[in-house]
Each structure stands twice: as C-alpha cells, then as structure tokens.
C-alpha cells in the first residue's frame, strides 16, 4: 500500500511544555514572533474546584483536500509526491489568499522570506533523512507520534488501532492528516 | 465545493486564546491578534506588509548560507536549568543551529524541554555580558567601565586583602547556584579562610535534604516514578517544574495506568492529569499525619519492613494517634473520607507507591518536618529499594559494596587540592553547631538568606564582601528590597554571570562567564538507578571573546590572590582526563558519546527480589536503621519526632501568596532569553473568579498587590483554578535590571512580597506571606 503519512496527537499526554514549539523554531529557522506550531491550553474549564484542562496542538492539518492549495494563484502551495501540502517559497508571491482560505488558521507570511509559511512535518530537513519531525522527537509528554498510517507496524497505526481519532472540522471535508485522540480528556 | 475565502478564521481562536491566557495570564489575546502581533514584529513596530491581495512579496528571501553546509553533532550537557540534561548540539558552519537530547542516554530518549531547546537563542544573545566591568557610579546606577581581566582580578584581590586585614576572611561570603563551578568558586572562599560559603539550596530543596539525612544518613535518595502505580504530590509539579527524566517517568507511569493525586492550592498542569485536591496552604503536614493515622488504625503498614529496617516507629505512632482524618479535615479543608480513601489507595498500591518528598520545598518554617513525615509514610509501607518506590542512588561507591554489582562500579577520580586554612570562627548561620537548629543545616549549603541579615545587622558578625556566582539573590531569595538594601551596604560585591542580573547591577566587579555551549566543566556524576557520568564540552568557539569559563576565571583570580596552588591543573582537558582515568574512561570516549553508563547494567533495587536484603550499606544512621525518631534532630530542635504546628490562615480580605514554576522558564534565570521571553514575557497574579468578583477585578486588569510592607504592580489572571483564599504567580519575573532589556519591568517579582523569615533549618519560607489585592 502507498505511504500515508500522518501525525497522531494523544491529547491526554500533552503537558503544554512547548518543547515542540521551540524545537520547530530552531529546526525551521522560524523568525522571531512567528510559529509553525504551538500547544495552547484549553481551560481550566468548569467551576472551582471541579476543573479540567488539556492542551491542543495547533499546526497545519496537512489536508488532503487543501483549501490553501485550491486558492493559490501561482501553485506555490501544492501537494508533494507524498500528498503532503507544501509551499514553494520561490513561487510564492505573498498574496495571502491561502492564509485566508485555511480553516485552521495555520499559515502566516514569514517575515524574513516574505513567503507563506507553515508546519511541514520537517519534510526537507528531517523526514527525507529518515528522522522524525523535530516536535515529535523532543515531545516531553509523549503526546506526538508520526509515521505511515498504512504500515501496521508503525507507532501511528498501532495507536490508531486502539483509540478513536478525530479530525478537526471534519465537516468541511478537508481530510486532514493530523489525528487527535481525546481518550481520557474532559473536553 | 466550499468557497475558501469565506471560511472564517475563527476556528482555533479559542484554543490559542487559552494558551495565551494560561501561559501569560494577560488580556485575552486571540489568535488573529497573536498573529498580528507576530507579523508586526517585536515591540509593536509596524513591519511593512503589502496589502492583502497585492501580488508582491513583503521582503526578499535571504540566501540561507548554512543550508548547504555539513552539520556536525557535539554531545554535551544543557545548562538552561540546573538539571544538566545530556544534549546533542547541532553545529553548522561554526554556529549552533539546534539542540536536541542526547540519544545515547536512554533515560532522556533524545528529548529536552523548551528551555533546553532555546539554548542557541541565549548563546547568540547580544544582551549577554561581554567584558569584565568595574563600577564607576552609585551602586545600582548601572554605570560601569569595561576593564581587562587583569584589572578586574587586581581590583578584587586588593579589596579582599583589605577586608581580610580589617575584618578577617570570614567577613567575605560566597554564594552560588549549586553546580560544577563550585569546585573552583569555593576554593577562593576556602582559600581566604572564610567559613561562609553557601549554595542556593536553602531557597529550594534543602529541607528535603535535611529530612533525608536525618532518616537515612544520606541525601542521595530518589523516587522511581516510572514504575509507580500511585503517586501523591504534595505541591510537587513535575509537568511545569520540568526535570526531563522525571517528567518523562511521570508520564510513563500515567501511561501505564498510575493514578496521580495532587495536593496544591493551585490547579497546576500536574493537577490536570490527576485528582486535584486544593489543600489549604501550610497544612500539608496535617494531611500526611492523618494518612499515617489511618494506615496505623487499619493495621496495614509493613510490619516486617518497620521491624527489620527502622527504629523509633513507636514514637511516631504515639505522635499521630490523635491526628485523625476528622482532625485533618478541619486543618486542611480536605473531607475526611477523601483522606481515608487516599491513604487506603496508597496502601493498596504499595510498595509501588510514592508520597512525593517535593522539590522546591521550604513552604513553612518547619518544612523539614513535613518532608520527614512524608518519608515516614513511605517507609511505613516499605516503599524502598523496590521498583516503583524510593531508592538510594547507585553511584560507584554504593555499587562497590555489592559483590554482584561491583564490576559496574567505576569511580571517578578526585583532583587533589592542598589543605585549606581552618576558618578562625563559626559560620554566620550556625551551620554545624551542635545543640541548635544549625546542627541540621547541610554544611555544603547553609542558610543563604542569613547573608543579607548579617550585612544589615552585623550579627553574629558583619559580612562586608560577597562573591555571587550564577545566582541572583535579588529575585531568588525572599524580600528583594531587603537584599538590595544589604547589597548597597557592602564594601565589595563580585558577581559572575552571563547576564546583567538584578544582583549584578549592584556589583563592584562583574565577571562575564561564557555560556555552557562554549566551555568544559567538571564531569558530572548523574548516577540514579545505574551509574552515569555526563560531559560538558564546548560546541563552538567563544561568541564573545572576552568571556571565560568559571574554571579559568577562578584559577586566574586565585593566582592573583596568591591562592594558585589550590588550582593544580593546566586546563580542563587535563582536569577531566584525571577525573576519568581511575574509571578507565577517556576524554575522547566522553567527547564521542557525551554520557557513560555501564553497559548491560539493569536498574538495581536492593530489595527487588529479596524483601529481607540488608540495607546496611546504604543507611548510615545508628545500627544502620532508618530513623523515625532522630536523636540528632531532638538535640538540634527538640523535635526528634515531627510535631504539627498550626500556622495562621489568611483573614477575610487577605490571600496566601504562593509561587511556582512554569515549563518555559527557569526560576530567576531565563526571563531575558530571547525565545523564552517571546513565549512568556511576563507573569500575572492568579486569583479565583469569586474572589476577583468581590474585589471588582476583571481578567487582565492592572492590580496592586500588597503585603503590608511592600507593594507590587501586576496584572490579574482570573481563574477557576485556584483556592479562593490564595493567589499565585510564576516565579522569576518583575525584573529590575535595565540590562535585561526584554524582561525589565515586566510582571511580578513574587519574592518582593515575601518577608525574609529564616526557617528552622535555615530554609527560606515561600508560602507564609499574606497579601491584599486591589485594582490599580
Ligand atoms: S501567499 Fe503564496 S502560497 Fe499562499 S496563496 Fe499566495 S502565492 Fe500561494
Ligand atoms: S512537546 Fe509534546 S508534551 Fe510538550 S507541548 Fe509539545 S506536544 Fe505537548
Ligand atoms: S530540564 Fe531542560 S533546561 Fe534543564 S537541563 Fe534539561 S533540557 Fe536543559
């Protein structure tokens, strides 16, 4: 079966430590004040003393029906050979259509390159060299897993085999590759 | 088909809003604003952005020169906090591009925290100290001239000589954040005959050390979180006070089904992963005593363990006889049934259960008794030297005593220093004096907050000079203003640091250390369940050529002071090689791996297979028994068995003021580190929604906090996640040094609002201050 890359996020295991946030910044030379990913807190929810809280990773959802790709006038936003959404900075004219189109608000204009920028699974810098994305390899809580969902021996496949995953805004039909697992979490 | 442009960008607004609020506690900043702020650059200056839809680029794409160059990896050790995690530093073109965890260390699994990841941003920070400096204006005025190292050394040497002649060597105090520099730093103090050498520990875990020493005759006791099934935190917050190996172990335990119970007046991240018990402040000992009471009443304690390995249990039994859950309910505010349930759950999971002994302790004046009582309950259940309980660290000297393990014991060598002169008098804090509480204070630590007292009062004798190494008492020690007052009275203040800290700004001489990414240090012994040695080595050349490593600074200073013979080494390669040689290790090996543990050795628990195995080799008290009753403590404080002391609770209109750690900063150390400052530039005051309503305070509003003596401005974070009678802020903000340009004047310095009360065994007391809060 063809490779189907995916990221699995076990929300209950995220501790909001932002190691992923910072690792991504250095791996991808993201300018000051800009972020490709972050793990914000949701909560505390409820009323004292019955409160709960979790963290939800924000990042490009790597849609298979990507609205940003649809709107891009220059084809800078495109699918690569693995079907991952990428931005070719050389073709990007900074028109911001994709920023507006992205329902996950995952894109920004990189203030150094002037091109649209976003989370990439560290494709060029790491994945292509057989390494895990920077955020995954520094994840302190053990929340993040990445791999080929179609390979039954992969971590991601094993986790998905045990737990029910959700996609964000699945009603939009964007078919993301980021799987959120809420087991053990009070939403 | 959807029309993309009309899909509105609201979706994750809420989540980011919540991150921003959780971390920063400030005004609700939603994602759009967040991005806007990011787009508009730091400091709010508008960056030219082409209008929406304009088909032009905002800025040219710079050529990324590094992209084509080879990446090399240097294995070293992090110093963004004190934990020294093994790291793999990625270097491209002579520049550090990224830092990862060292994959050669399985305890870390290649993982480091946000602070560790931020290392390069500190390394290249233009706001670091770059040259030695001597003060030219008033203390605190920030007026300095840059000098050569030789001028700085000469100035210090002359001043110290003057003080020695006038007041004796004991008039000069030395204080550092404990670490590998101490071998060098302290040699200066010992060399001039000063007994007054301190670590920062009194502001952090010292009461725990005292407790462990009084029971085991050793402080080297650790908890095996990863294998535990039931873990009770008494204010410990592993998921924000990050220690990578321990944080990972806690998450591993949770993953394996362990239950976490968290006693904390504030809803911490750790509390969010378990059962949160918002205990009334300063009453933890009541809870622990009631646990003991329940377990004794149930008769479920490990009688064999107590019989075989401990002494004095009978006296503890008597002490907790009336400490019933009903009594503890009144003290702690925790329903008695909850106390009983937790005690029974704890018993059920023992010996794979941990009642945690804490990290940043020193909550109350008699905090050491809380730590002892905690360990009593653990020992009542025999949670010792088995997987999932406590264990003694297995460093080489311990393993040597076990024949089947001795082949793994490779001992590091010592570098010989000639005998130091014997100080002519006792220490200012009474450390080590029999018959007074000072008897219990660990000699290597001392009661650091006594230094400002002795400067100001001249009691028991005056302190006139102070050397401070990589430590920032103005922010780290209680009652900042009193410390500043003391600093202003000194004849000599020498500060060695990497930033112009809030203490450095009052110094006579400032010595710029280079960062951990540019230097060697002594090899660290980080042994836990197995022995482990970790190397720190330079990853790159000095970024600022006039900075130096501490081992060089103090050696050179020593030569100038006529103390050079205490530094019998040429350079650190030689020093480290001599450390490693007796262990059969080489510097080359350590440079290649960064870390050494004995190959093939599995974690070693003395009682894992034999519940009657002797503990004589690790327990160093009378008859090798773990002591419930301690003769030594009785002698020092007349409390050989912990007694419950009832501390005042906040009155109507007052709040108990507590502090804690956040995952993206290290105490008083990182507020100015660019990337971390960007993530969290300031803190705010957590206040319960209902309490805030009564005061008419809304989320994000400016407030004034007062403890009656001092006031502090801040912002309110209104939340459901805190007791109504308690307010909280993260530690390490409200910085007063203008040299910390990013952190200056942002947020609340909690220690300004806590009076300098020295606890029974020399600890600072972090949670004994009450404050009022009003709208600004
Ligand atoms: S900003 Fe760049 S990537 Fe986005 S739509 Fe415009 S040209 Fe395409
Ligand atoms: S590193 Fe892992 S645990 Fe930490 S915030 Fe990121 S996803 Fe969560
Ligand atoms: S816990 Fe984080 S900051 Fe501290 S040493 Fe480890 S990686 Fe560095």
């Amino acid at each position: 079966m063809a490779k189907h890359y995916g990221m699995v996020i076990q929300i209950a295991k995220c501790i909001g430590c932002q190691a992923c946030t910072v690792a991504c910044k250095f791996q991808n030379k993201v300018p000051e004040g800009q972020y490709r990913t972050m793990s914000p807190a949701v909560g505390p929810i409820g009323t004292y003393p019955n409160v709960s809280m979790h963290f939800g990773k924000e990042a490009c959802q790597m849609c298979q029906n990507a609205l940003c790709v649809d709107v891009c006038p220059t084809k800078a936003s495109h699918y690569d050979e693995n079907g991952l959404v990428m931005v070719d900075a050389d073709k990007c004219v900074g028109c911001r259509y994709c920023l507006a189109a992205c329902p996950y608000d995952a894109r920004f204009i990189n203030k150094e390159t002037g091109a649209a920028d976003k989370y990439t699974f560290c494709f060029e810098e790491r994945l292509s060299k057989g390494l895990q994305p920077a955020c995954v390899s520094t994840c302190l809580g053990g929340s993040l897993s990445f791999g080929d969902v179609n390979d039954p021996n992969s971590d991601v496949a094993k986790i998905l085999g045990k737990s029910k995953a959700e996609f964000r805004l699945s009603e939009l039909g964007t078919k993301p590759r980021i799987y959120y697992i809420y087991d053990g979490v009070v939403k | 088909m959807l029309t993309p442009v009309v899909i509105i960008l609201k979706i994750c607004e809420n989540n980011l809003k919540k991150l921003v609020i959780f971390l920063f506690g400030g005004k609700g900043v939603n994602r759009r604003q967040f991005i806007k702020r990011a787009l508009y650059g730091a400091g709010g200056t508008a960056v030219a952005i082409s209008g929406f839809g304009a088909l032009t680029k905002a800025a040219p794409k710079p050529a990324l020169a590094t992209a084509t160059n080879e990446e090399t990896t240097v294995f070293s050790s992090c110093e963004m906090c004190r934990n020294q995690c093994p790291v793999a530093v990625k270097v491209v073109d002579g520049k550090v591009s990224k830092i990862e965890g060292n994959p050669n260390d399985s305890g870390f699994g290649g993982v480091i925290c946000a602070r560790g990841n931020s290392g390069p941003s500190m390394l290249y920070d233009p706001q670091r100290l770059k040259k030695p400096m001597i003060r030219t204006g008033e203390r605190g005025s920030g007026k300095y001239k840059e000098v050569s190292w030789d001028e700085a050394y000469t100035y210090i040497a002359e001043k110290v000589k003057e003080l020695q002649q006038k007041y004796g060597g004991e008039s000069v105090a030395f204080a550092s954040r404990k670490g590998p520099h101490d071998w060098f730093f302290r040699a200066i103090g010992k060399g001039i005959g000063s007994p007054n050498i301190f670590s920062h520990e009194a502001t952090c875990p010292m009461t725990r050390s005292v407790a462990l020493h009084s029971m085991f005759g050793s402080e080297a006791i650790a908890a095996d979180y990863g294998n535990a099934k039931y873990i009770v935190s008494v204010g410990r917050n592993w998921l924000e006070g990050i220690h990578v190996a321990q944080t990972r172990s806690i998450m591993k335990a949770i993953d394996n089904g362990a239950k976490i119970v968290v006693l904390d007046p504030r809803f911490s991240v750790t509390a969010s992963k378990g059962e949160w018990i918002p205990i009334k402040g300063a009453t933890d000992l009541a809870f622990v005593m009631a646990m003991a009471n329940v377990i004794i009443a149930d008769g479920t304690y490990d009688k064999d363990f107590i019989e075989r390995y401990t002494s004095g249990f009978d006296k503890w039994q008597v002490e907790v006889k009336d400490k019933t859950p009903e009594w503890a309910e009144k003290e702690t505010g925790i329903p008695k049934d909850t106390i009983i349930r937790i005690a029974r759950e704890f018993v059920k999971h023992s010996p794979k259960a941990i009642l945690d002994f804490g990290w940043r302790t020193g909550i109350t004046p008699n905090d050491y008794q809380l730590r002892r009582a905690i360990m009593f309950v653990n020992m009542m259940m025999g949670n010792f030297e088995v997987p999932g309980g406590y264990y003694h660290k297995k460093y080489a000297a311990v393993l040597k005593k076990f024949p089947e393990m001795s082949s793994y014991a490779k001992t590091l060598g010592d570098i010989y220093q000639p005998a130091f002169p014997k100080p002519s008098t006792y220490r200012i804090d009474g450390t080590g004096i029999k018959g007074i509480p000072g008897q219990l204070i660990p000699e290597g630590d001392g009661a650091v907050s006594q230094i400002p007292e002795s400067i100001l009062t001249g009691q028991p004798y005056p302190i006139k000079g102070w050397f401070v190494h990589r430590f920032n008492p103005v922010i780290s020690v209680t009652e900042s203003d009193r410390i500043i007052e003391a600093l202003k009275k000194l004849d000599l203040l020498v500060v060695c640091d990497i930033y112009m800290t809030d203490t450095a700004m009052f110094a006579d001489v400032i010595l710029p250390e280079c960062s951990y990414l540019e230097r060697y240090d002594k090899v660290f012994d980080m042994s836990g369940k197995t022995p482990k040695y970790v190397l720190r080595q330079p990853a790159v050349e000095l970024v600022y050529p006039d900075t130096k490593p501490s081992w060089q600074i103090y050696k050179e200073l020593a030569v100038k002071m006529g103390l050079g013979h205490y530094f019998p080494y040429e350079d650190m390669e030689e020093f480290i090689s001599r450390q490693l040689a007796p262990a059969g290790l080489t510097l080359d090996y350590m440079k290649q791996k960064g870390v050494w543990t004995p190959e093939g050795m599995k974690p070693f628990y003395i009682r894992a297979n034999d519940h009657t195995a002797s503990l004589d080799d690790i327990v160093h008290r009378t008859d090798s028994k773990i002591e419930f009753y301690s003769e030594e403590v009785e002698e020092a404080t007349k409390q050989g068995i912990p007694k419950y002391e009832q501390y005042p609770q906040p009155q109507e209109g007052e709040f108990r003021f507590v502090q804690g750690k956040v995952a993206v900063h290290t105490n008083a150390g990182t507020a100015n580190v660019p990337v971390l400052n960007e993530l969290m530039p300031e803190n705010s005051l957590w206040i319960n929604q209902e309490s805030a309503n009564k005061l008419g305070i809304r989320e994000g509003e400016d407030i004034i906090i007062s403890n009656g003596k001092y006031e502090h401005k801040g912002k309110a974070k209104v939340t459901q996640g805190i007791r109504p009678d308690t307010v909280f802020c993260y530690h390490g903000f409200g910085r007063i040094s203008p040299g910390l340009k990013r952190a200056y004047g942002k947020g609340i310095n909690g220690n300004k609002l806590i009076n300098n009360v020295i606890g029974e065994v020399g600890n600072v007391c972090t949670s004994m201050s009450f404050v009022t809060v009003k709208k600004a």
Side-chain angles (χ1 to χ4, degrees):
Chain A
M1 219 191 291
K3 269 201 168 70
H4 184 95
Y5 284 122
M7 168 86 68
V8 176
I9 302 172
Q10 292 169 277
I11 295 291
K13 292 202 212 175
C14 177
I15 61 172
C17 70
Q18 315 299 332
C20 52
T21 307
V22 181
C24 174
K25 276 195 85 111
F26 284 97
Q27 182 67 64
N28 299 299
K29 301 185 177 66
V30 181
E32 189 186 335
Q34 302 195 306
Y35 298 89
R36 287 184 173 187
T37 179
M38 252 202 181
S39 297
V42 182
I45 310 164
T47 309
Y48 173 88
N50 302 309
V51 290
S52 66
M53 175 177 66
H54 65 271
F55 297 88
K57 189 175 162 81
E58 299 296 335
C60 165
Q61 304 288 302
M62 286 288 187
C63 311
Q64 298 170 69
N65 285 333
L67 301 166
C68 55
V69 173
D70 291 352
V71 297
C72 180
T74 68
K75 297 203 162 44
S77 284
H78 65 281
Y79 302 103
D80 75 358
E81 66 276 19
N82 294 298
L84 304 180
V85 177
M86 294 292 161
V87 181
D88 182 340
D90 288 333
K91 283 192 193 154
C92 173
V93 293
C95 70
R96 305 164 64 92
Y97 287 178
C98 57
L99 273 67
C102 172
Y104 305 99
D105 203 4
R107 292 184 162 227
F108 58 95
I109 298 288
N110 181 310
K111 63 185 182 190
E112 278 167 19
T113 65
D117 202 335
K118 69 169 194 75
Y119 187 73
T120 61
F121 291 152
C122 296
F123 193 86
E124 260 172 55
E125 293 290 332
R126 299 181 66 98
L127 220 51
S128 61
K129 298 173 188 157
L131 298 170
Q132 292 270 302
C135 55
V136 176
S137 64
T138 201
C139 179
L140 195 45
S143 165
L144 306 178
S145 310
F146 176 84
D148 177 7
V149 175
N150 285 344
D151 171 4
N153 293 318
S154 68
D155 290 348
V156 279
K158 283 183 198 153
I159 300 167
L160 291 172
K162 276 188 286 186
S163 305
K164 201 177 134 299
E166 293 177 21
F167 295 118
R168 286 196 170 166
L169 303 177
S170 54
E171 65 276 16
L172 298 181
T174 49
K175 294 177 78 186
R177 289 171 188 269
I178 311 268
Y179 300 76
Y180 289 86
I181 294 177
Y182 285 92
D183 288 3
V185 175
V186 185
K187 271 210 248 183
Chain B
M1 176 78 202
L2 290 151
T3 325
V5 192
V6 298
I7 293 170
I8 300 306
L9 313 155
K10 288 257 174 206
I11 317 305
C12 29
E13 198 166 278
N14 278 338
N15 287 352
L16 252 131
K17 195 170 178 175
K18 278 159 188 160
L19 161 80
V20 171
I21 291 169
F22 186 77
L23 280 180
F24 315 138
K27 285 203 181 83
V29 180
N30 68 29
R31 166 128 183 174
R32 293 312 299 173
Q33 283 163 343
F34 187 64
I35 285 177
K36 227 187 278 165
R37 194 166 70 193
L39 269 174
Y40 282 74
T45 26
V47 174
I49 297 168
S50 51
F52 183 84
L55 292 176
T56 50
K57 281 201 190 183
K61 188 183 168 192
L64 295 175
T66 51
T68 52
N69 290 304
E70 256 330 270
E71 179 183 274
T72 54
T73 301
V74 181
F75 293 115
S76 189
S77 153
C78 181
E79 197 194 41
M80 294 300 287
C81 83
R82 219 197 90 53
N83 295 331
Q84 305 169 168
C85 295
V87 290
V89 185
K90 304 290 170 182
V91 181
V92 181
D93 239 5
K95 277 198 94 177
V96 175
S97 60
K98 185 167 186 291
I99 302 178
E100 302 181 353
N102 183 344
N104 300 324
D105 187 324
S106 59
F108 290 79
V111 166
I112 49 168
C113 75
R115 301 163 300 170
N117 270 291
S118 301
S121 109
M122 183 276 291
L123 174 63
Y124 298 109
D125 186 357
Q127 290 183 29
R128 270 175 56 186
L129 291 171
K130 296 171 195 140
K131 302 251 185 211
M133 291 190 285
I134 292 180
R135 184 167 60 84
T136 55
E138 291 264 291
R139 267 192 210 283
S141 65
K143 294 209 175 87
Y144 285 89
K145 62 171 185 208
E146 290 181 356
V147 296
S148 69
W149 279 95
D150 194 63
E151 281 171 275
Y153 295 145
T154 305
Y155 183 97
I156 297 168
E158 279 170 10
K159 272 281 179 192
V160 170
K161 199 181 231 165
E162 235 176 270
L163 293 176
Q164 270 180 295
Q165 280 163 359
K166 257 169 113 174
Y167 308 102
E170 67 272 19
S171 69
V172 186
F174 291 76
S176 57
R177 192 195 56 195
K178 210 171 193 168
H181 43 256
D182 282 335
W183 194 94
F184 312 96
F185 176 65
R186 292 177 169 211
I188 301 281
K190 292 187 218 162
I192 64 164
S194 174
N196 292 312
I197 297 173
F198 298 80
S199 75
H200 77 291
E201 300 264 301
T203 69
C204 198
M206 195 170 83
T207 59
R208 182 182 83 178
S209 314
V210 168
L212 293 174
H213 196 269
S214 77
M215 289 177 70
F216 299 91
S218 167
E219 296 170 15
I221 309 289
D224 186 22
Y225 300 115
N227 292 309
K229 291 290 174 204
Y230 196 82
I231 303 172
V232 183
S233 145
V234 184
R236 179 80 194 272
N237 182 10
W238 303 273
L239 307 187
E240 290 182 279
I242 304 284
H243 176 295
V244 169
Q246 292 183 19
T247 304
R248 293 184 79 223
S249 298
I250 291 288
M251 292 311 289
K252 177 183 157 199
I254 293 176
D255 208 25
N256 291 336
K259 178 170 177 188
I260 311 274
V261 176
V262 179
L263 276 62
D264 195 327
R266 175 188 76 111
F267 185 63
S268 64
V269 175
T270 307
S272 77
K273 303 292 184 199
E275 179 181 354
W276 179 39
I277 313 260
I279 188 171
K280 203 185 280 175
T283 68
D284 308 82
L285 184 54
F287 174 87
V288 174
M289 287 180 133
M291 265 182 95
N293 175 289
V294 173
I295 296 170
I296 291 168
D298 286 355
T300 47
Y301 50 96
D302 186 336
K303 295 172 192 84
D304 181 63
F305 185 95
I306 290 172
E307 175 77 13
R308 191 178 297 277
Y309 299 113
T310 73
S311 66
F313 177 64
D314 48 333
K315 294 199 173 67
W316 173 238
Q317 243 175 322
V318 172
E319 189 60 41
V320 297
K321 199 157 177 100
D322 57 353
K323 302 297 183 291
T324 59
E326 292 76 12
W327 166 82
E329 172 171 336
K330 289 199 200 93
E331 287 298 310
T332 63
I334 305 170
K336 72 174 197 308
D337 292 339
T338 306
I339 300 172
I340 295 169
R341 173 176 53 79
I342 292 171
R344 290 186 178 152
E345 285 173 359
F346 186 77
V347 168
K348 187 173 148 226
H349 292 94
S350 289
K352 287 180 183 292
I354 292 169
L355 178 60
D356 190 69
F357 57 179
W359 185 276
R360 187 169 184 240
T361 56
I363 291 172
T364 63
N366 77 339
D367 186 281
Y368 75 110
Q369 297 291 31
L370 166 64
R371 310 298 149 185
R372 291 179 74 215
I374 286 173
M375 291 311 284
F376 288 2
V377 171
N378 286 299
M379 293 308 110
M380 282 169 60
M381 299 315 307
N383 301 342
F384 192 47
E385 284 299 336
V386 288
Y390 284 89
Y391 62 92
H392 192 287
K393 291 185 186 167
K394 301 302 179 321
Y395 40 72
V398 170
L399 286 185
K400 274 221 164 93
K401 298 182 177 152
F402 296 85
E404 70 279 22
M405 290 290 147
S406 58
S407 66
Y408 298 122
K410 296 187 175 189
T411 316
L412 286 181
D414 269 337
I415 298 342
Y416 165 79
Q417 275 170 309
F420 290 101
K422 204 173 145 20
S424 59
T425 185
Y426 56 92
R427 293 173 54 108
I428 49 171
D429 55 2
T431 293
I433 299 178
K434 286 213 188 304
I436 62 164
Q439 177 176 353
L440 300 177
I441 302 176
E443 208 195 323
D445 298 319
V448 72
S449 62
Q450 178 61 40
I451 300 177
E453 296 308 320
S454 295
I455 296 170
L456 288 168
T457 64
Q459 296 302 325
Y461 54 83
I463 291 294
K464 298 287 182 183
W466 192 357
F467 280 68
V468 177
H469 183 86
R470 299 299 300 275
F471 176 47
N472 188 7
V474 169
I475 304 294
S476 299
V477 179
T478 41
E479 205 168 335
S480 307
D481 288 29
R482 192 163 170 80
I483 294 175
I484 293 167
E485 205 188 319
L487 296 182
K488 288 188 172 162
K489 235 190 121 187
L490 283 168
D491 290 355
L492 175 68
L493 176 61
V494 179
V495 174
C496 179
D497 214 303
I498 55 170
Y499 278 112
M500 182 62 114
T501 66
D502 317 84
T503 303
M505 67 181 277
F506 296 99
D508 297 280
V509 187
I510 297 175
L511 305 174
E513 198 187 17
C514 62
S515 80
Y516 68 100
L517 293 162
E518 304 155 285
R519 66 167 196 261
Y520 283 108
D521 264 319
K522 270 184 77 178
V523 169
F524 318 131
D525 186 340
M526 287 174 63
S527 304
K529 284 180 276 186
T530 64
K532 174 152 80 181
Y533 303 139
V534 178
L535 177 73
R536 178 172 291 146
Q537 62 170 321
V540 288
E541 302 274 305
L542 292 174
V543 171
Y544 300 115
D546 248 345
T547 59
K548 292 182 189 213
S550 54
W551 60 263
Q552 188 182 357
I553 295 174
Y554 295 117
K555 182 178 162 74
E556 290 171 356
L557 176 62
V559 170
K560 192 60 92 184
M561 294 171 74
L563 303 171
H565 51 295
Y566 293 117
F567 295 76
Y569 58 89
E570 272 308 309
D571 55 27
M572 264 332 253
E573 278 102 325
E574 179 206 321
F575 189 107
I576 292 169
S577 300
R578 281 162 64 190
Q579 269 191 293
L580 292 170
L585 296 167
T586 62
L587 179 57
D588 268 349
Y589 175 90
M590 290 303 286
K591 284 175 105 166
Q592 275 163 35
K593 298 274 181 194
V595 51
W596 173 83
T597 56
E599 209 168 313
M601 182 180 163
K602 296 214 175 65
F604 171 47
Y605 311 88
I606 299 169
R607 298 176 61 248
N609 302 317
D610 175 3
H611 275 231
T612 63
S614 167
L615 297 177
D616 289 3
D617 287 324
I618 56 162
V619 179
H620 306 295
R621 305 247 50 131
T622 311
D623 299 331
S624 297
K625 297 281 192 224
I626 299 165
E627 291 182 352
F628 283 83
Y629 172 79
S630 160
E631 196 61 58
E632 190 189 6
V633 177
E634 181 65 28
E635 199 183 344
T637 65
K638 307 284 169 292
Q639 269 196 44
I641 281 287
K643 288 208 184 335
Y644 184 69
E645 177 141 358
Q646 193 182 48
Y647 292 110
Q649 292 296 327
Q651 303 288 311
E652 182 66 32
E654 281 180 348
F655 301 90
R656 183 182 300 279
F657 181 53
V658 299
Q659 302 180 50
K661 299 190 191 218
V662 68
V664 297
H665 279 294
T666 302
N667 302 332
T670 59
N672 205 55
V673 171
V675 166
L676 298 177
N677 181 275
E678 186 184 309
L679 273 175
M680 182 178 180
E682 65 182 318
N683 62 356
S684 53
L685 191 77
W686 293 41
I687 181 167
N688 180 282
Q689 178 78 61
E690 217 174 286
S691 314
N693 289 351
K694 280 190 201 149
L695 294 166
I697 292 169
R698 279 195 303 256
E699 171 65 23
E701 270 185 344
D702 289 333
I703 48 166
I704 292 171
I705 316 157
S706 166
N707 73 349
K709 195 165 171 189
Y710 305 106
E711 283 193 345
H712 206 310
K713 282 195 183 133
K715 283 191 197 313
K717 175 196 159 80
V718 179
T719 174
Q720 299 285 356
I722 192 163
R723 284 178 64 88
D725 66 355
T726 302
V727 290
F728 165 92
C729 74
Y730 286 117
H731 174 48
F733 296 87
R735 309 303 289 270
I736 61 162
S737 170
L740 304 169
K741 295 198 181 86
R742 301 175 197 94
Y744 176 67
K746 292 193 188 131
I748 303 156
N749 167 20
N751 272 335
K752 184 181 167 114
L753 296 163
I754 301 180
N755 294 333
N756 191 17
V757 175
I758 301 180
E760 277 174 38
V761 294
N763 54 291
V764 307
C765 304
T766 59
S767 306
M768 296 299 294
S769 280
F770 299 139
V771 297
T772 54
V773 182
K774 61 175 189 209
K775 273 168 101 141

